[in-house]
Amino acid sequence: MTEAEILALPYRPCVGLVILNPAGGIFAGQRIDNPGDAWQMPQGGIDRGETPWEAALRELGEETGIPDEAVELLAEAPDWITYDLPHDLVPRIWKGRFRGQRQRWFLMRFLGDDAMIDITRENPEFSRWAWMPPDELAARIVPFKRATYAAVFDAFRDRLG
């Protein structure tokens, strides 16, 4: 695809979840499809007819196994946050239909215990998980998402200790 073709593509509507434990750690998962050090927070597309909040709760269960009642909504980012995929990835991801993602982020407090977390899902996203401080997580995300994570953490800075 040419650069002009890529720039003409829309962004995929998506949600992202910042899940805080009582100690202030953020849930992070090592991507199962990346052999490198590629950790991220849960995120995923918004299905047709879903609100962003409904998508967030669905993604919570699909990616972490955490039930809805084990989280409390603390905040929603005031704006959509976008990122562009590296151009060489566009044709391979989402069948070349999107240039990147347009994400609505939610900050949640985890009210359960770690035994509730189960990443061994039907279609797992993560090979392992950990609680991380924001700066460590931002350093371990794939480079093209670093500015996104900085914007997310900035949106919630008053609540991230």
Side-chain angles (χ1 to χ4, degrees), residues 4 71 75 115-116 118 127-129 134 137 151:
V71 295
M116 298 175 85
D118 179 11
S127 59
R128 56 193 171 125
W129 68 274
L137 181 49

Side-chain angles (χ1 to χ4, degrees), residues 103-121:
Q103 301 176 318
R104 178 63 78 175
W105 284 86
F106 295 92
L107 176 65
M108 304 171 170
R109 181 187 334 273
F110 179 50
L111 304 172
D113 61 56
D114 289 0
M116 298 175 85
I117 298 171
D118 179 11
I119 60 171
T120 59
R121 315 307 297 158

